[in-house]
């Protein structure tokens, strides 16, 4: 097979043990095509976010020999807008043009180092607002599981590290090898949709003299058409005033909010019931099952059947 592709994992303080082990588990199942080694910024043991530390055999000089550098995530309490000096010095060992991959919070390190400027990137959806405010020069997409931008790849939280590593195997050696690795690791070779299907959308907090009572009433009557005129009438406001107030309080139009709530309720029913898709559509206010399918796919990128399979599994 020729020279082994060397993957060097840079473990940072507060690293999540699960994600730290992903590269060696996935690339290690590729039948000798990769060599996975781990280093720290100073060659010393690394504290994890659990009640133990890990001992590594190498310091940052190992990065000089890497074909791929992978940064697993670390505890969110350790996030900083600027690059920690020790990490910055370690990254100077990475040769220009080396493929670099981040999982979850490690995207913050790449962004702080300027490696994501003008590039598309992703991170855990719960950190999207912080990431955008700190690094507006990065084209963040929090809806996907990973982004491949040639020599720099970023992935979302936790198990998306498996997705991006499998993607690299597929990119390096083709689908057959990637499928073999996935079977060996007992994971799907490809997951439909993105992390949008895992994002929680809480209802905005109630406010006095606003539209909160009408929003609550609408949630209790999602099976009805609920045109804007009816919503405004319930709130005892003119159409114009209601639309303006609603947008100010919720950050979106009433129509868009209704679709979001209908999709959210449909997802709940897909997870917790055996109702047919058409029946769920009618219960949440979509005219047809096809309408539900279109809105669900537009929202999270998967079909009702695929969503139910992911979150409910095969039940008797």
């Amino acid at each position: 097979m020729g020279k082994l592709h060397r993957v060097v994992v840079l473990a940072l303080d507060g690293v999540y043990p699960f994600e730290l082990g992903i590269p060696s588990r996935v690339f290690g199942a590729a039948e000798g095509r990769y060599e996975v080694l781990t280093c720290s910024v100073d060659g010393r043991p690394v504290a994890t976010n659990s009640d133990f530390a890990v001992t590594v055999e190498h310091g940052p000089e190992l990065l000089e020999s890497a074909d791929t550098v992978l940064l697993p995530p670390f505890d969110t309490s350790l996030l900083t807008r600027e690059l920690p000096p020790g990490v910055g010095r370690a990254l100077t060992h990475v040769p220009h043009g080396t493929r670099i991959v981040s999982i979850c919070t490690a995207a913050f390190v790449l962004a702080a180092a300027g490696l994501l400027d003008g590039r598309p990137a992703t991170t855990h959806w719960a950190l999207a607002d912080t990431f955008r405010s700190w690094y507006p020069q990065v084209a963040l997409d929090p809806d996907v599981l990973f982004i491949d931008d040639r020599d720099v790849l970023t992935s979302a939280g936790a198990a998306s590290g498996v997705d991006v590593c499998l993607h690299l195997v597929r990119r390096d050696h083709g689908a057959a090898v990637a499928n073999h690795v996935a079977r060996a690791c007992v994971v799907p070779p490809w997951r439909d949709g993105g992390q949008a299907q895992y994002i929680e959308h809480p209802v905005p907090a109630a406010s006095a003299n606003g539209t909160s009572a009408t929003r609550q009433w609408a949630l209790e009557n999602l099976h009805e058409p609920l045109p804007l005129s009816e919503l405004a009438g319930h709130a005892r406001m003119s159409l114009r005033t209601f639309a303006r107030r609603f947008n100010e309080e919720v950050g979106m139009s009433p129509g868009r909010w209704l679709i979001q709530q209908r999709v959210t309720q449909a997802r709940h029913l897909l997870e917790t019931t055996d109702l047919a898709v058409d029946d769920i559509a009618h219960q949440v206010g979509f005219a047809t099952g096809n309408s539900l399918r279109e809105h669900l796919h537009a929202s999270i990128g998967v079909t009702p059947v695929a969503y139910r399979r992911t979150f409910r599994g095969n039940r008797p």
Side-chain angles (χ1 to χ4, degrees), residues 32-264:
R33 292 175 171 84
Y34 298 90
E35 176 187 33
V36 182
L37 301 171
T38 305
C39 70
S40 64
V41 298
D42 53 12
R44 298 175 181 172
V46 179
T48 71
N49 82 319
S50 298
D51 62 341
F52 58 88
V54 292
T55 301
V56 297
E57 300 294 330
H58 306 281
E61 63 280 355
L62 183 68
L63 294 166
E64 298 172 3
S65 64
D67 298 301
T68 295
V69 172
L70 194 147
L71 279 72
F74 49 90
D75 195 277
T76 55
S77 65
L78 300 176
L79 286 176
T80 57
R81 187 169 187 170
E82 305 299 327
L83 197 63
V87 179
R89 286 193 296 272
L91 290 178
T92 62
H93 290 274
V94 180
H96 179 72
T98 301
R99 186 165 68 185
I100 301 179
V101 184
S102 70
I103 302 174
C104 193
T105 52
F108 282 75
V109 172
L110 301 190
L115 297 174
L116 299 181
D117 289 358
R119 288 178 178 265
T122 193
T123 189
H124 194 292
W125 62 264
L127 302 171
D129 289 343
T130 301
F131 191 98
R132 284 196 183 100
S133 66
W134 286 3
Y135 312 112
Q137 69 276 20
V138 181
L140 183 71
D141 183 355
D143 291 341
V144 297
L145 292 174
F146 62 85
I147 288 179
D148 181 344
D149 193 35
R150 304 179 304 279
D151 59 329
V152 177
L153 296 89
T154 52
S155 60
S160 65
V162 175
D163 295 298
V164 73
C165 288
L166 281 173
H167 169 73
L168 287 175
V169 174
R170 188 180 302 107
R171 181 172 128 176
D172 294 343
H173 300 289
V177 175
N179 290 344
H180 171 79
V181 170
R183 291 189 181 97
C185 296
V186 199
V187 295
W190 182 268
R191 283 197 289 168
D192 290 331
Q195 61 173 328
Q197 60 190 305
Y198 305 98
I199 298 174
E200 296 176 348
H201 295 285
V203 177
S207 58
N209 302 319
T211 64
S212 60
T214 297
R215 294 199 306 269
Q216 184 58 43
W217 173 79
L219 289 175
E220 295 167 0
N221 293 275
L222 281 178
H223 58 285
E224 300 291 345
L226 300 177
L228 181 59
S229 58
E230 190 171 351
L231 295 173
H234 182 274
R236 299 182 180 179
M237 299 179 188
S238 68
L239 289 174
R240 192 170 186 176
T241 299
F242 178 78
R244 176 176 56 79
R245 282 276 184 87
F246 196 100
N247 214 316
E248 289 172 352
E249 295 175 16
V250 183
M252 65 183 73
S253 70
R256 182 180 169 194
W257 179 84
L258 270 176
I259 290 175
Q260 185 185 90
Q261 301 313 309
R262 285 176 166 142
V263 168
T264 298

